[in-house]
Amino acid sequence: MTQEQDHGRSTAAHGSRIDAYIDRYAARAAGMVASEVRALFAVASRPEVVSLAGGMPYVTALPLDSVGELVADLVARRGTVALQYGSGQGDAHLREQICEVMRLEGIEAGADDVVVTVGSQQALDLITRIFIDPGDVILAEGPSYVGALGTFSAYEASVVHVAMDDHGLVPEALAETIASLARQGRRIKFLYTIPNFQNPAGVTLNAARRRQVLDICHRAGVLVVEDNPYGLLGFDGEPMRALRADDPEGVVYLGSFSKTLAPGFRVGWALAPHAVRDKLVLAMESAVLSHSSFSQLAVGQYLATQPWREQIKTFRELYRERRDTMLAALEALMPAGCSWTRPAGGFFVWMTLPEGLDSKAILPRAVAERVAFVPGTGFYADGSGARNMRLSYCYPEPHRIREGVRRLAGVIEQELVIRDTFGTGSAPSHSGVDTPGPDVA
Amino acid sequence: MTQEQDHGRSTAAHGSRIDAYIDRYAARAAGMVASEVRALFAVASRPEVVSLAGGMPYVTALPLDSVGELVADLVARRGTVALQYGSGQGDAHLREQICEVMRLEGIEAGADDVVVTVGSQQALDLITRIFIDPGDVILAEGPSYVGALGTFSAYEASVVHVAMDDHGLVPEALAETIASLARQGRRIKFLYTIPNFQNPAGVTLNAARRRQVLDICHRAGVLVVEDNPYGLLGFDGEPMRALRADDPEGVVYLGSFSKTLAPGFRVGWALAPHAVRDKLVLAMESAVLSHSSFSQLAVGQYLATQPWREQIKTFRELYRERRDTMLAALEALMPAGCSWTRPAGGFFVWMTLPEGLDSKAILPRAVAERVAFVPGTGFYADGSGARNMRLSYCYPEPHRIREGVRRLAGVIEQELVIRDTFGTGSAPSHSGVDTPGPDVA
């Protein structure tokens, strides 16, 4: 028996190694490969590991008694509606309530222009489905949300990053990128932006720049997709005015109850110009027929009967304390040469390592030292981000955040010793799609 | 002012007529246009109309008290899990329970090969996403499920219908179609089939043909996608053995709790060969991150604490009575020249009108007479079905079914008079995508 035959037999015996369909997938499936990072995150979910990787909201802060009562009441009063199919656009009353939530950010909109989706992730998927042919350009901040990049890649979009600084997207960079792409004859379909407490960078687009970004996109005929899951979770003063508030025809706004209530219902939405909304509803029906009536009515019941504004305030205070804890720990413990952003809301700090260090190479060592983070490369479509990592403070208790930062600082110090001895830190691991699972997105 | 300018202004004033994005959509969005049939279904949802159009299960037959208790208990005991993000593949315990359900149809499978989806509609969407490049061929029964055709069209697949008779898909026709496509050099990606109590035709693939269909597809290297929402809702004896039970590597099986429990949780699943399952999970994460934990745990809790097999029996008895009622009424009331199928389970009867009649043209008249159905053309990708209509008996009470058939028979009789007077029935309305909303799919 030749070695090749033997190899063939042993993998067949294992059952799961040979993909009989390998030559039959669609072109878009080529990029659907799990990264080796995922295995590490499985380890990172052990209780002894402090995970600064996850983007999970701290749902323990919810009034579980009240939620239990309201879902029971929902089944008793409206069970046959909650358990039945609903409309593709979503429950009409919930859409009214969503308009009320958006009003907090200056948005005046009618329920008829809202489509309820399976989390704002699905809104992103449907918008991409409607607008993107393979090769079309999407502009996105660099870095940008890993889950959005995964979706854009699934539709074979070409993502072009636009520079960001501590005040968010840089308007001049946006204008230059658009002009340069126009010169190359490339078609820009939309700008994807997370203006508030950006995931992963933690920075916020300031008010002056919002006007500029809208103007630039309007002039260039570029649709703006405003993804705003964290907008109500600012630590200072009133929520910022949404981009959508000043340009109803030029912006598709994506919202979510995942961070202001709970992700477990998977209720998000898109607010879109009327014609786009029509297409979204048809795309929604083709994708899932309709969202869960039960989930939608439960969220509606929560908004109607619970002090939801107070609950958001509770979340804000809780996350503010954790942000403070993380920033203080970073300040006290991180070695010289590390820098990081200072978020005014949301869940994330974006750290930049000293020259010569590679965050993905460091991750296995960090997990061995019982701390996890998300390496920076997953947040770029172009391979950037090797010196970056996303640290989240939303889920661990403050004393665990301090301990996590302490462990991470120790790992980075060791890496610096290696770098100073051998001229480089740990070798980068081989590449792959750095999409962590949904629990850390 | 020219007439053209005036026209432009008045439509702008109406606000919703001009689509500023018309030249920016993806190619796949071109087919996303609502049909005029939708407006009629809005009328058909009025209480005075007997809807034989909807595919809504009769959830009133559920033990609402028990469901209310179990969701309250779920929040009390496992609230922080139910309200949190879950894994992209779906809750591990629910996937075990799903394997137990599938065992009723002879399927032996591991929970690791199951992916929980937002209804089986999403499983269909994800399978299509993974396999279909524009122009790829999907084989499907003629007629086939309208929601599947919508999804296939959204991915720009080319659907080729295979003939069906009272015993389901015709194996000889399948073999011929595959051979003919091969001669044309066209690429068949999968066969989409609903073997049990097919939607819309109500027919079932017999046991002998199941083996033949698997053999033909295996030899041709064509994946089988077995969509089986109604398999446990047969009126005679034990459930049929699933195609998947005899070919684990060649079949992707789609299941759903929408008809055996309730559609309101939107819990369906795909069981796939291992490598395909990997891609499904990644596609799922890119589409929605994860399904609702709350929905999944509620279904799991229901299966763990309630007599779900008894409940399915209750549904079976209830639908059997309604099927009997409909068949008896059709027999007694329909004019000569009409014919229809005799389903042994599921929700639907497929009727064929006499020569010269057009079901879509009849629909407005029927709605005026307070009865609704779904015209046949929506169930074909190739414009066939003008003489067909789908009649569903799942939702209306038996006396309403009788009354609905009586009204429909009256309308058809009038049409026959028109035909015999003028040589043709009511003129067909203009075409469009005949996708009814999710409540009637």
Side-chain angles (χ1 to χ4, degrees):
Chain A
M1 182 187 285
T2 69
Q3 224 178 346
E4 207 171 353
Q5 281 171 321
D6 181 59
H7 176 75
R9 244 177 43 171
S10 69
T11 52
H14 280 93
S16 66
R17 288 286 162 264
I18 293 181
D19 183 353
Y21 295 95
I22 194 78
D23 59 345
R24 286 184 256 177
Y25 294 118
R28 72 176 72 82
M32 294 183 188
V33 180
S35 123
E36 77 278 18
V37 172
R38 292 176 80 100
L40 279 169
F41 285 119
V43 177
S45 68
R46 293 188 190 155
E48 69 269 24
V49 177
V50 175
S51 179
L52 306 175
M56 295 190 296
Y58 191 71
V59 294
T60 311
L62 286 166
L64 289 184
D65 289 357
S66 309
V67 174
E69 272 168 41
L70 76 85
V71 292
D73 182 59
L74 173 63
V75 176
R77 289 190 310 106
R78 304 194 62 206
T80 56
V81 178
L83 296 173
Q84 192 53 275
Y85 287 110
S87 86
Q89 188 175 359
D91 181 69
H93 184 61
L94 177 62
R95 289 187 279 111
E96 297 281 358
Q97 293 171 306
I98 285 171
C99 291
E100 196 187 328
V101 172
M102 292 191 292
R103 213 164 287 133
L104 297 175
E105 298 173 331
I107 294 174
E108 292 298 330
D112 195 40
D113 290 335
V114 174
V115 182
V116 180
T117 55
V118 182
S120 60
Q121 182 74 28
Q122 194 197 17
L124 205 49
D125 184 77
L126 299 180
I127 278 290
T128 312
R129 181 185 299 221
I130 287 176
F131 281 105
I132 298 300
D133 285 314
D136 282 347
V137 173
I138 297 174
L139 302 176
E141 289 130 357
S144 186
Y145 167 50
V146 60
L149 298 181
T151 300
F152 299 158
S153 151
Y155 287 95
E156 302 167 85
S158 170
V159 172
V160 175
H161 288 295
V162 179
M164 195 168 41
D165 63 20
D166 285 348
H167 305 287
L169 202 63
V170 179
E172 295 72 22
L174 176 63
E176 273 166 33
T177 304
I178 291 175
S180 154
L181 287 163
R183 280 193 302 271
Q184 297 165 45
R186 297 178 68 191
R187 187 156 203 217
I188 305 171
K189 283 297 179 72
F190 57 78
L191 164 69
Y192 170 72
T193 177
I194 307 167
N196 296 311
F197 326 124
Q198 204 245 14
N199 179 2
V203 302
T204 295
L205 188 65
N206 70 26
R209 286 188 179 182
R210 289 183 186 227
R211 192 66 256 171
Q212 290 174 279
V213 166
L214 286 176
D215 283 349
I216 292 166
C217 287
H218 182 78
R219 274 201 306 272
V222 171
L223 174 69
V224 176
V225 176
E226 175 179 29
D227 190 5
N228 192 25
Y230 311 102
L232 298 180
L233 294 176
F235 306 143
D236 316 301
E238 290 304 297
M240 294 281 286
R241 191 171 165 83
L243 291 163
R244 165 59 176 74
D246 293 312
D247 191 354
E249 288 302 313
V251 178
V252 173
Y253 175 99
L254 313 185
S256 173
F257 288 108
S258 291
K259 278 81 185 184
T260 52
L261 167 52
F265 294 119
R266 305 303 294 120
V267 176
W269 69 89
L271 168 67
H274 203 75
V276 176
R277 189 279 280 168
D278 280 348
K279 299 252 188 239
L280 277 176
V281 172
L282 291 164
M284 176 78 188
E285 290 175 2
S286 141
V288 300
L289 286 186
S290 65
H291 196 356
S292 161
S293 299
F294 193 98
S295 279
Q296 293 180 71
L297 296 188
V299 171
Q301 184 90 336
Y302 171 83
L303 294 170
T305 64
Q306 304 296 311
W308 59 271
R309 290 177 182 80
E310 291 307 304
Q311 181 61 41
I312 291 176
K313 212 165 150 184
T314 301
F315 279 131
R316 271 204 298 258
E317 294 307 314
L318 189 137
Y319 295 132
R320 184 218 304 271
E321 185 197 352
R322 291 170 188 207
R323 188 257 337 236
D324 290 346
T325 303
M326 179 172 277
L327 291 181
L330 290 169
E331 194 65 51
L333 299 166
M334 277 296 151
C338 292
S339 61
W340 52 86
T341 57
R342 284 162 183 76
F347 286 8
F348 307 112
V349 166
W350 182 246
M351 189 154 85
T352 305
L353 297 172
E355 198 82 54
L357 263 51
D358 182 288
S359 65
K360 204 158 143 195
I362 291 174
L363 182 60
R365 187 168 305 223
V367 170
E369 296 291 333
R370 294 163 299 132
V371 60
F373 58 84
V374 184
T377 44
F379 302 96
Y380 286 93
D382 62 4
S384 308
R387 273 175 60 202
N388 297 110
M389 54 176 70
R390 189 189 76 177
L391 304 177
S392 64
Y393 50 81
C394 47
Y395 195 73
E397 307 274 351
H399 73 276
R400 297 269 290 167
I401 292 175
R402 259 190 303 274
E403 178 57 23
V405 170
R406 197 188 61 74
R407 292 174 188 170
L408 183 58
V411 172
I412 293 172
E413 267 161 16
Q414 288 176 334
E415 286 294 315
L416 287 171
V417 171
I418 296 172
R419 180 196 68 176
D420 294 343
T421 309
F422 299 102
T424 178
S426 295
S429 50
H430 73 280
S431 85
V433 181
D434 296 333
T435 42
D439 48 338
V440 295
Chain B
M1 183 186 287
T2 70
Q3 225 179 343
E4 207 173 354
Q5 281 173 324
D6 182 57
H7 176 75
R9 243 178 44 172
S10 69
T11 50
H14 280 94
S16 66
R17 288 286 163 262
I18 293 182
D19 183 354
Y21 295 96
I22 193 81
D23 59 345
R24 285 185 257 177
Y25 294 118
R28 72 175 70 83
M32 293 183 187
V33 180
S35 125
E36 76 277 18
V37 172
R38 292 177 81 98
L40 278 170
F41 285 120
V43 177
S45 68
R46 292 187 191 154
E48 69 270 22
V49 177
V50 176
S51 179
L52 306 176
M56 295 192 296
Y58 191 70
V59 294
T60 310
L62 285 167
L64 288 185
D65 290 355
S66 308
V67 174
E69 271 167 42
L70 76 85
V71 293
D73 183 58
L74 173 63
V75 176
R77 289 188 312 105
R78 303 192 63 204
T80 56
V81 178
L83 296 172
Q84 191 53 273
Y85 287 110
S87 86
Q89 189 175 358
D91 180 68
H93 184 60
L94 176 61
R95 288 187 280 111
E96 297 281 358
Q97 293 171 306
I98 285 170
C99 291
E100 198 187 327
V101 172
M102 291 191 293
R103 212 164 288 135
L104 297 175
E105 298 173 330
I107 294 175
E108 291 299 330
D112 194 40
D113 290 334
V114 173
V115 182
V116 181
T117 54
V118 183
S120 60
Q121 182 74 27
Q122 193 196 19
L124 206 49
D125 184 79
L126 299 181
I127 279 290
T128 312
R129 182 187 298 223
I130 287 176
F131 280 103
I132 298 299
D133 286 313
D136 282 347
V137 172
I138 297 173
L139 302 177
E141 287 130 0
S144 186
Y145 167 50
V146 59
L149 298 181
T151 299
F152 300 158
S153 150
Y155 286 95
E156 301 166 87
S158 170
V159 172
V160 175
H161 289 294
V162 180
M164 195 168 41
D165 63 20
D166 284 348
H167 306 288
L169 202 61
V170 179
E172 295 71 25
L174 176 63
E176 273 165 33
T177 306
I178 290 175
S180 154
L181 287 162
R183 280 194 302 272
Q184 297 165 44
R186 296 177 69 192
R187 189 158 202 217
I188 305 170
K189 284 297 182 70
F190 57 79
L191 163 68
Y192 171 73
T193 177
I194 307 168
N196 297 311
F197 326 123
Q198 204 245 16
N199 179 1
V203 302
T204 295
L205 188 64
N206 69 26
R209 286 189 180 181
R210 288 183 188 227
R211 191 66 256 171
Q212 290 175 279
V213 166
L214 285 176
D215 283 348
I216 292 166
C217 287
H218 182 78
R219 274 201 306 274
V222 170
L223 175 70
V224 176
V225 176
E226 176 179 27
D227 190 5
N228 192 24
Y230 311 101
L232 299 179
L233 295 176
F235 306 143
D236 315 302
E238 291 303 299
M240 293 281 284
R241 191 172 164 84
L243 292 164
R244 164 59 175 76
D246 293 313
D247 191 355
E249 289 303 312
V251 178
V252 174
Y253 175 99
L254 313 185
S256 173
F257 288 107
S258 290
K259 279 82 186 184
T260 52
L261 167 53
F265 294 119
R266 304 302 295 118
V267 176
W269 70 88
L271 168 67
H274 203 75
V276 176
R277 188 279 280 167
D278 280 350
K279 300 253 188 237
L280 277 176
V281 172
L282 291 164
M284 176 77 189
E285 290 175 2
S286 142
V288 300
L289 286 186
S290 65
H291 195 357
S292 160
S293 299
F294 193 97
S295 279
Q296 293 181 71
L297 296 187
V299 171
Q301 184 90 336
Y302 171 83
L303 294 170
T305 65
Q306 303 297 310
W308 59 270
R309 288 177 184 81
E310 292 306 305
Q311 180 61 41
I312 291 175
K313 213 166 148 184
T314 302
F315 279 131
R316 272 203 299 257
E317 294 307 314
L318 189 135
Y319 295 132
R320 184 217 305 269
E321 186 196 353
R322 291 171 189 207
R323 187 260 335 238
D324 290 345
T325 304
M326 178 171 277
L327 290 181
L330 289 169
E331 194 64 51
L333 300 165
M334 278 296 151
C338 293
S339 62
W340 52 87
T341 57
R342 283 159 183 81
F347 287 7
F348 307 112
V349 167
W350 183 246
M351 190 155 85
T352 304
L353 297 173
E355 200 81 54
L357 263 53
D358 182 290
S359 65
K360 205 159 143 193
I362 292 175
L363 183 59
R365 187 169 304 224
V367 171
E369 296 292 335
R370 294 163 299 132
V371 60
F373 58 84
V374 183
T377 45
F379 302 96
Y380 286 93
D382 62 4
S384 309
R387 273 175 60 202
N388 297 109
M389 53 176 70
R390 191 190 73 178
L391 304 177
S392 65
Y393 50 79
C394 48
Y395 196 74
E397 307 275 351
H399 73 276
R400 297 270 290 167
I401 292 175
R402 261 188 303 273
E403 176 59 22
V405 170
R406 199 189 58 76
R407 292 174 187 170
L408 183 59
V411 171
I412 293 173
E413 268 162 17
Q414 289 176 335
E415 286 294 316
L416 287 171
V417 171
I418 296 173
R419 183 198 65 176
D420 294 343
T421 312
F422 299 104
T424 177
S426 294
S429 51
H430 73 280
S431 86
V433 182
D434 296 332
T435 43
D439 49 338
V440 295

